[in-house]
C-alpha cells in the first residue's frame, strides 16, 4: 500500500510540473542569410535569403522540403568594397546579386584582392570581409606504387598508390587537398576532399576531411589512392589508363575552416543530448548568418615514379 501511495504521489508531483507550450509562439529572430564564395576570374556573385520561423510552412512542398526560392531576398541594398573602391550590389535574379564596373560589366574576383560586404534589408544590417588568396604553391614529391600485391575489395581489384606533396601555407589561409583522376578508358572524373580515395569502384571510403595547417613551415601531406584495375592488365597498363591525374590544392580565407568544422553543429557527443553548444561558426556580422569567403586553387600534374 505504501508503495502504491508513493507512486501516486510521484505521478501527481510530475503532473504538477507540466507546462503547456503554445507552438504558435515559438521565438524567431529574422536574419539575413548570405552565401558568397569568391573565386578569381569569376563574377562576384552573392546570394541573399531570409530565415523562416520554425513553424512556417508557407514555402514547404508536399514532400516537406522548403522551397528556398521562397526565402530569397530581391529588394536588398548594399555594397562590396574591392581594394578601397565601392560598388553597389545589383539584383540579378532569385536573390543573386553582382557588382558592376563603369562599363556595366560584372566585376570578377582577383587573387590577392580584399572585399568588404555591407548590406541592409528592412531594419537588418550585416557586414563581412574576406580576401581571395593567391594561387597556392605546392610541389609534388613522389607517388609510390605497391607492385607486390593488389587489394581485393568490393568485388574489384585495385592498385595501391601512395602520393606525397609539400606545401607552404600563409597564416591567414586554410588549404584542403583532393585528387582528380581521369580514367583514359571511361573518361570519368571523380574528385574528393578526403584522405582515402576509392576510384571507379562504386564505393567511396570518405574517411576524414584533410586540411593543411598554417604554420609557416613546409607541410608534408600524403594520400592513399586506389586505382581500379582490370585483372588482365599489368600495373603499367593500369597506370596508363589513369594517366591524366592531378593533385588539386585549394586555398581559402581562414573563415572557411571554422565553417566546415562546425557546419553540422560540431557533431560530437559532448552535450547531454549529443552535439555541442558551439553552433555553426559563420563570418557574417550583425543580423545575419552565412559565409563570405575567398578561394583559389591550383592543379599539379604528376607522374608515377
Amino acid at each position: 500500500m505504501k508503495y502504491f501511495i508513493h507512486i501516486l504521489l510521484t505521478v501527481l508531483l510530475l503532473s504538477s510540473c507540466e507546462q503547456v507550450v503554445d507552438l504558435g509562439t515559438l521565438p524567431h529572430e529574422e536574419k539575413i542569410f548570405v552565401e558568397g564564395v569568391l573565386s578569381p576570374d569569376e563574377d562576384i556573385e552573392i546570394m541573399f535569403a531570409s530565415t523562416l520561423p520554425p513553424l512556417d510552412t508557407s514555402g514547404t512542398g508536399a514532400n516537406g522540403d522548403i522551397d528556398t526560392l521562397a526565402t530569397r531576398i530581391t529588394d536588398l541594398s548594399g555594397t562590396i568594397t574591392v581594394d578601397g573602391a565601392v560598388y553597389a550590389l545589383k539584383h540579378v535574379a532569385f536573390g543573386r546579386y553582382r557588382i558592376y564596373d563603369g562599363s556595366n560589366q560584372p566585376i570578377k574576383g582577383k587573387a590577392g584582392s580584399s572585399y568588404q560586404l555591407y548590406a541592409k534589408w528592412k531594419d537588418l544590417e550585416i557586414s563581412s570581409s574576406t580576401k581571395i588568396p593567391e594561387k597556392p604553391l605546392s610541389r609534388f614529391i613522389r607517388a609510390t606504387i605497391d607492385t607486390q600485391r593488389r587489394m581485393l575489395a568490393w568485388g574489384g581489384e585495385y592498385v595501391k598508390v601512395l602520393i606525397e606533396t609539400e606545401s607552404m601555407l600563409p597564416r591567414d589561409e586554410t588549404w584542403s587537398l583532393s585528387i582528380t583522376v581521369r580514367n583514359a578508358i571511361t573518361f570519368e572524373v571523380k574528385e574528393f576532399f578526403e584522405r582515402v580515395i576509392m576510384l571507379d569502384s562504386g564505393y567511396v571510403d570518405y574517411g576524414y576531411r584533410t586540411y593543411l595547417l598554417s604554420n609557416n613551415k613546409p607541410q608534408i601531406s600524403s594520400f592513399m589512392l586506389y586505382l581500379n584495375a582490370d585483372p588482365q592488365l599489368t600495373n603499367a597498363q593500369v597506370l596508363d589508363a589513369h594517366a591524366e591525374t592531378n593533385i588539386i590544392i585549394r586555398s581559402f580565407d581562414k573563415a572557411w575552416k571554422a565553417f566546415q568544422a562546425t557546419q553540422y553543429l560540431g557533431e560530437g557527443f559532448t552535450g547531454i543530448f549529443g552535439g555541442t553548444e558551439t553552433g555553426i561558426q559563420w563570418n557574417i556580422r550583425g543580423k545575419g548568418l552565412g559565409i563570405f569567403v575567398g578561394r583559389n586553387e591550383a592543379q599539379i600534374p604528376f607522374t608515377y615514379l
Side-chain angles (χ1 to χ4, degrees):
M1 184 65 178
K2 289 182 180 180
Y3 180 70
F4 173 77
I5 293 175
H6 175 72
I7 293 178
L8 179 62
L9 289 174
T10 301
V11 171
L12 290 174
L13 178 62
L14 290 175
S15 299
S16 66
C17 295
E18 287 183 357
Q19 212 173 7
V20 178
V21 178
D22 182 0
L23 294 180
T25 60
L26 288 177
H28 169 65
E29 182 182 1
E30 190 171 50
K31 292 187 177 182
I32 300 172
F33 180 78
V34 182
E35 183 180 323
V37 180
L38 314 184
S39 301
D41 303 319
E42 294 182 9
D43 293 347
I44 299 298
E45 183 173 292
I46 314 296
M47 190 278 289
F48 296 96
S50 61
T51 56
L52 287 173
L55 302 179
D56 190 323
T57 59
S58 58
T60 304
N63 59 356
D65 293 335
I66 295 176
D67 180 5
T68 57
L69 288 178
T71 68
R72 301 290 175 86
I73 299 174
T74 59
D75 57 346
L76 173 144
S77 63
T79 60
I80 292 181
T81 302
V82 184
D83 295 334
V86 181
Y87 301 92
L89 287 166
K90 295 184 179 180
H91 184 245
V92 179
F94 307 114
R96 295 182 291 109
Y97 291 73
R98 293 176 183 167
I99 55 177
Y100 295 82
D101 62 19
S103 301
N104 203 34
Q105 296 298 309
I107 294 176
K108 299 183 181 299
K110 181 180 178 182
S113 289
S114 297
Y115 301 84
Q116 288 80 43
L117 169 67
Y118 169 78
K120 183 176 182 180
W121 180 63
K122 296 182 178 180
D123 61 343
L124 308 177
E125 294 185 54
I126 61 169
S127 64
S128 188
S129 61
T130 190
K131 179 181 179 180
I132 296 181
E134 297 289 348
K135 189 178 289 291
L137 297 176
S138 295
R139 72 182 185 92
F140 167 70
I141 300 176
R142 68 180 64 88
T144 306
I145 305 164
D146 186 348
T147 59
Q148 300 302 313
R149 61 187 179 89
R150 295 183 179 182
M151 185 181 76
L152 300 177
W154 305 288
E157 192 168 307
Y158 301 88
V159 174
K160 182 179 177 182
V161 182
L162 173 65
I163 298 169
E164 296 176 86
T165 63
E166 182 182 80
S167 306
M168 190 76 161
L169 286 73
R171 287 190 176 277
D172 59 348
E173 298 175 15
T174 183
W175 291 12
S176 63
L177 298 180
S178 64
I179 299 291
T180 178
V181 172
R182 181 180 294 278
N183 186 310
I185 298 174
T186 64
F187 297 100
E188 183 178 11
V189 178
K190 297 188 177 182
E191 179 182 320
F192 308 103
F193 277 111
E194 288 70 25
R195 182 187 299 276
V196 179
I197 304 139
M198 303 298 297
L199 298 165
D200 305 325
S201 65
Y203 178 85
V204 179
D205 180 6
Y206 284 101
Y208 293 96
R209 190 177 298 271
T210 301
Y211 283 100
L212 302 185
L213 302 176
S214 297
N215 52 16
N216 284 348
K217 64 180 182 180
Q219 170 78 32
I220 305 297
S221 298
S222 62
F223 296 85
M224 294 306 302
L225 184 65
Y226 295 86
L227 304 180
N228 183 248
D230 185 325
Q232 304 303 317
L233 298 180
T234 65
N235 282 351
Q237 291 172 318
V238 172
L239 296 177
D240 184 62
H242 294 85
E244 298 181 36
T245 302
N246 289 313
I247 302 171
I248 298 179
I249 312 293
R250 288 192 175 94
S251 56
F252 297 87
D253 177 351
K254 61 182 178 182
W256 178 256
K257 186 174 187 297
F259 163 66
Q260 286 290 316
T262 59
Q263 64 173 323
Y264 299 110
L265 304 183
E267 288 176 353
F269 293 94
T270 59
I272 187 171
F273 297 112
T276 65
E277 304 81 24
T278 56
I280 302 176
Q281 294 185 34
W282 311 108
N283 72 328
I284 304 299
R285 297 182 293 274
K287 299 295 183 177
L289 305 169
I291 198 78
F292 180 68
V293 296
R295 67 177 290 279
N296 206 336
E297 75 171 41
Q299 295 196 24
I300 307 172
F302 63 93
T303 57
Y304 300 103
L305 302 179

